Coordinates of all heavy atoms in Angstrom, one line a residue:
L158 N 83.7 99.1 95.9 CA 84.4 98.0 95.3 C 84.0 96.7 95.9 O 83.6 95.7 95.2 CB 85.9 98.2 95.5 CG 86.8 97.0 95.0 CD1 86.7 96.8 93.5 CD2 88.3 97.3 95.4
V159 N 83.9 96.6 97.2 CA 83.4 95.4 97.9 C 81.9 95.1 97.5 O 81.6 93.9 97.2 CB 83.6 95.5 99.4 CG1 82.9 94.3 100.1 CG2 85.0 95.5 99.8
A160 N 81.1 96.1 97.5 CA 79.7 95.9 97.3 C 79.4 95.4 95.8 O 78.4 94.7 95.6 CB 78.9 97.2 97.5
H161 N 80.2 95.8 94.9 CA 79.9 95.5 93.5 C 80.8 94.6 92.8 O 80.6 94.2 91.6 CB 79.8 96.8 92.7 CG 78.8 97.8 93.3 ND1 77.4 97.5 93.3 CD2 78.9 98.9 94.0 CE1 76.8 98.5 93.9 NE2 77.7 99.4 94.3
H162 N 81.9 94.1 93.4 CA 82.9 93.3 92.8 C 82.3 91.9 92.7 O 81.7 91.3 93.6 CB 84.2 93.3 93.5 CG 85.3 92.7 92.7 ND1 85.5 91.4 92.6 CD2 86.3 93.4 92.0 CE1 86.6 91.2 91.8 NE2 87.1 92.4 91.4
K163 N 82.5 91.2 91.5 CA 82.0 89.9 91.3 C 82.5 88.8 92.2 O 81.9 87.8 92.4 CB 82.2 89.5 89.8 CG 83.7 89.4 89.4 CD 83.9 89.1 88.0 CE 85.4 89.0 87.6 NZ 85.6 88.9 86.2
L164 N 83.7 89.1 92.8 CA 84.3 88.1 93.7 C 84.0 88.3 95.2 O 84.4 87.5 96.0 CB 85.8 88.0 93.5 CG 86.2 87.5 92.1 CD1 87.8 87.6 92.0 CD2 85.7 86.1 91.8
S165 N 83.2 89.4 95.5 CA 82.9 89.6 96.8 C 81.9 88.6 97.4 O 81.0 88.1 96.6 CB 82.2 91.0 97.0 OG 83.2 92.0 96.8
W166 N 82.0 88.2 98.6 CA 81.1 87.3 99.2 C 79.8 88.0 99.4 O 79.7 89.1 99.8 CB 81.7 86.8 100.6 CG 82.9 86.0 100.5 CD1 83.5 85.5 99.4 CD2 83.7 85.6 101.6 NE1 84.6 84.8 99.7 CE2 84.8 84.9 101.1 CE3 83.7 85.8 102.9 CZ2 85.8 84.3 101.9 CZ3 84.7 85.3 103.7 CH2 85.7 84.6 103.2
N167 N 78.7 87.2 99.3 CA 77.4 87.7 99.5 C 77.2 88.2 101.0 O 76.4 89.1 101.2 CB 76.3 86.6 99.2 CG 76.2 86.4 97.7 OD1 76.5 87.2 96.9 ND2 75.8 85.2 97.4
E168 N 77.9 87.6 101.9 CA 77.8 88.0 103.3 C 78.5 89.4 103.6 O 78.2 90.0 104.5 CB 78.4 87.0 104.2 CG 77.7 85.6 104.2 CD 78.1 84.7 103.0 OE1 79.0 85.1 102.2 OE2 77.6 83.6 102.9
T169 N 79.4 89.7 102.7 CA 80.2 91.0 102.9 C 79.5 92.2 102.3 O 79.7 93.3 102.7 CB 81.6 90.8 102.3 OG1 82.2 89.6 102.8 CG2 82.5 92.0 102.7
R170 N 78.8 91.9 101.2 CA 78.1 93.0 100.5 C 77.2 93.9 101.4 O 77.3 95.1 101.3 CB 77.3 92.5 99.3 CG 78.3 92.1 98.2 CD 77.5 91.7 96.9 NE 78.4 91.5 95.9 CZ 78.6 90.3 95.3 NH1 77.9 89.3 95.6 NH2 79.5 90.2 94.3
P171 N 76.4 93.3 102.3 CA 75.6 94.2 103.1 C 76.4 95.1 104.1 O 76.0 96.2 104.4 CB 74.7 93.2 103.9 CG 74.7 92.0 103.1 CD 76.0 91.9 102.4
Q172 N 77.6 94.6 104.5 CA 78.4 95.4 105.3 C 79.0 96.6 104.5 O 79.0 97.7 105.1 CB 79.6 94.6 105.8 CG 79.2 93.4 106.8 CD 80.4 92.5 107.1 OE1 81.5 92.7 106.6 NE2 80.1 91.5 107.9
A173 N 79.3 96.4 103.3 CA 79.8 97.4 102.4 C 78.7 98.5 102.2 O 78.9 99.7 102.2 CB 80.4 96.9 101.1
E174 N 77.5 98.0 101.9 CA 76.4 98.9 101.7 C 76.1 99.7 102.9 O 75.8 100.9 102.8 CB 75.1 98.0 101.3 CG 75.2 97.4 99.9 CD 75.2 98.4 98.7 OE1 74.8 99.5 98.9 OE2 75.6 97.9 97.6
A175 N 76.2 99.1 104.1 CA 76.0 99.9 105.3 C 77.0 101.0 105.5 O 76.7 102.1 105.9 CB 76.1 98.9 106.5
I176 N 78.3 100.7 105.1 CA 79.3 101.8 105.2 C 78.9 102.9 104.2 O 79.0 104.1 104.5 CB 80.7 101.2 104.9 CG1 81.1 100.3 106.0 CG2 81.7 102.3 104.6 CD1 82.3 99.5 105.7
L177 N 78.5 102.5 103.0 CA 78.1 103.5 102.0 C 76.9 104.4 102.5 O 76.9 105.6 102.3 CB 77.7 102.9 100.7 CG 78.9 102.3 99.9 CD1 78.4 101.4 98.7 CD2 79.8 103.4 99.3
N178 N 76.0 103.7 103.2 CA 74.8 104.5 103.7 C 75.2 105.4 104.8 O 74.5 106.4 105.1 CB 73.7 103.5 104.2 CG 73.1 102.8 103.0 OD1 73.1 103.3 101.9 ND2 72.6 101.6 103.3
R179 N 76.3 105.1 105.6 CA 76.7 106.0 106.7 C 77.5 107.2 106.2 O 77.7 108.1 107.0 CB 77.6 105.2 107.7 CG 76.8 104.2 108.5 CD 77.6 103.7 109.7 NE 78.9 103.2 109.3 CZ 79.3 102.0 109.3 NH1 78.4 101.0 109.5 NH2 80.5 101.6 109.0
L180 N 77.9 107.2 105.0 CA 78.7 108.3 104.5 C 77.8 109.5 104.0 O 77.6 109.8 102.9 CB 79.6 107.9 103.3 CG 80.6 106.8 103.7 CD1 81.3 106.3 102.4 CD2 81.6 107.4 104.7
A181 N 77.1 110.1 105.0 CA 76.1 111.1 104.8 C 76.7 112.4 104.3 O 76.0 113.2 103.7 CB 75.3 111.4 106.1
G182 N 78.0 112.6 104.4 CA 78.6 113.8 104.0 C 78.8 113.9 102.5 O 79.1 115.0 102.0
L183 N 78.6 112.9 101.8 CA 78.8 112.9 100.4 C 77.5 113.1 99.7 O 76.5 112.5 100.0 CB 79.4 111.5 99.9 CG 80.8 111.1 100.5 CD1 81.2 109.8 99.9 CD2 81.8 112.1 100.1
T184 N 77.5 114.0 98.7 CA 76.3 114.2 97.9 C 76.0 112.9 97.0 O 76.9 112.2 96.7 CB 76.5 115.4 96.9 OG1 77.5 115.1 96.0 CG2 76.8 116.7 97.7
P185 N 74.8 112.7 96.7 CA 74.4 111.6 95.8 C 75.2 111.6 94.5 O 75.6 110.5 94.1 CB 72.9 111.7 95.6 CG 72.4 112.5 96.7 CD 73.6 113.4 97.1
E186 N 75.4 112.7 94.0 CA 76.2 112.8 92.7 C 77.7 112.4 92.9 O 78.2 111.7 92.1 CB 76.1 114.2 92.1 CG 74.7 114.7 91.7 CD 73.9 115.2 92.9 OE1 74.5 115.4 94.0 OE2 72.7 115.3 92.7
H187 N 78.3 112.9 94.0 CA 79.6 112.6 94.3 C 79.8 111.1 94.6 O 80.7 110.4 94.1 CB 80.1 113.4 95.5 CG 81.6 113.3 95.7 ND1 82.6 113.8 94.8 CD2 82.3 112.8 96.7 CE1 83.8 113.5 95.3 NE2 83.6 112.9 96.5
L188 N 78.9 110.5 95.4 CA 78.9 109.1 95.7 C 78.7 108.3 94.4 O 79.4 107.3 94.2 CB 77.8 108.8 96.7 CG 77.8 107.4 97.2 CD1 79.1 107.0 97.9 CD2 76.7 107.2 98.2
A189 N 77.9 108.7 93.5 CA 77.7 107.9 92.3 C 78.9 108.0 91.4 O 79.3 106.9 90.8 CB 76.5 108.5 91.5
A190 N 79.6 109.1 91.4 CA 80.9 109.2 90.7 C 82.0 108.3 91.3 O 82.7 107.6 90.6 CB 81.4 110.6 90.7
I191 N 82.0 108.2 92.6 CA 83.0 107.3 93.3 C 82.6 105.9 93.0 O 83.5 105.1 92.7 CB 83.0 107.6 94.8 CG1 83.6 109.0 95.1 CG2 83.7 106.5 95.5 CD1 83.5 109.4 96.5
Q192 N 81.4 105.5 93.0 CA 81.0 104.2 92.8 C 81.3 103.8 91.3 O 81.8 102.6 91.1 CB 79.5 104.0 93.0 CG 79.2 104.0 94.5 CD 77.7 103.9 94.8 OE1 76.9 104.5 94.1 NE2 77.4 103.1 95.8
A193 N 81.1 104.7 90.4 CA 81.5 104.4 89.0 C 83.0 104.2 88.9 O 83.4 103.3 88.2 CB 81.0 105.5 88.1
R194 N 83.7 105.0 89.5 CA 85.2 104.9 89.5 C 85.7 103.6 90.1 O 86.6 103.0 89.7 CB 85.8 106.1 90.2 CG 87.3 106.2 90.0 CD 87.9 107.5 90.6 NE 87.7 107.5 92.1 CZ 87.2 108.6 92.7 NH1 86.8 109.7 92.1 NH2 87.1 108.5 94.1
S195 N 85.0 103.2 91.2 CA 85.4 101.9 91.9 C 85.2 100.7 91.0 O 85.9 99.7 91.2 CB 84.6 101.7 93.1 OG 83.3 101.3 92.8
Q196 N 84.4 100.8 90.0 CA 84.2 99.6 89.1 C 85.4 99.5 88.1 O 85.6 98.4 87.5 CB 83.0 99.8 88.2 CG 81.7 99.7 89.1 CD 80.5 99.9 88.3 OE1 80.4 99.9 87.1 NE2 79.4 100.1 89.0
E197 N 86.3 100.5 88.1 CA 87.5 100.4 87.2 C 88.7 100.1 88.0 O 89.8 100.0 87.4 CB 87.6 101.7 86.5 CG 86.5 102.1 85.6 CD 86.6 103.4 84.9 OE1 87.7 104.1 85.0 OE2 85.6 103.9 84.4
I198 N 88.6 99.9 89.3 CA 89.8 99.7 90.2 C 90.2 98.2 90.0 O 89.4 97.3 90.0 CB 89.4 99.9 91.6 CG1 89.1 101.4 91.8 CG2 90.5 99.5 92.5 CD1 88.6 101.7 93.2
D199 N 91.5 98.1 89.9 CA 92.1 96.8 89.8 C 92.4 96.3 91.2 O 93.1 96.9 92.0 CB 93.5 96.9 89.0 CG 94.1 95.5 88.8 OD1 94.1 94.7 89.7 OD2 94.7 95.3 87.8
L200 N 91.8 95.1 91.5 CA 91.9 94.6 92.9 C 93.3 94.3 93.3 O 93.7 94.5 94.4 CB 91.0 93.3 93.0 CG 90.7 92.8 94.4 CD1 90.1 93.8 95.2 CD2 89.8 91.6 94.3
L201 N 94.1 93.9 92.4 CA 95.6 93.6 92.7 C 96.3 94.9 93.0 O 97.0 94.9 94.0 CB 96.2 93.0 91.5 CG 97.7 92.7 91.6 CD1 97.9 91.7 92.8 CD2 98.3 92.1 90.3
E202 N 95.9 96.0 92.4 CA 96.5 97.3 92.7 C 96.2 97.8 94.1 O 97.0 98.3 94.8 CB 96.1 98.4 91.7 CG 96.8 98.2 90.3 CD 96.3 99.2 89.3 OE1 95.7 100.2 89.7 OE2 96.6 99.0 88.1
V203 N 94.9 97.5 94.5 CA 94.5 97.9 95.8 C 95.2 97.1 96.8 O 95.7 97.6 97.8 CB 92.9 97.7 96.0 CG1 92.5 97.9 97.4 CG2 92.2 98.6 95.1

Side-chain angles (χ1 to χ4, degrees):
L158 174 63
V159 172
H161 303 293
H162 197 278
K163 63 184 177 186
L164 297 178
S165 290
W166 294 350
N167 289 334
E168 296 83 1
T169 309
R170 287 188 172 114
Q172 296 171 357
E174 291 290 344
I176 292 168
L177 289 169
N178 291 334
R179 286 196 310 256
L180 297 172
L183 300 177
T184 66
E186 296 82 12
H187 188 67
L188 185 56
I191 291 171
Q192 288 178 320
R194 188 174 66 229
S195 74
Q196 294 178 14
E197 299 175 12
I198 295 174
D199 183 323
L200 194 54
L201 180 59
E202 289 178 13
V203 172

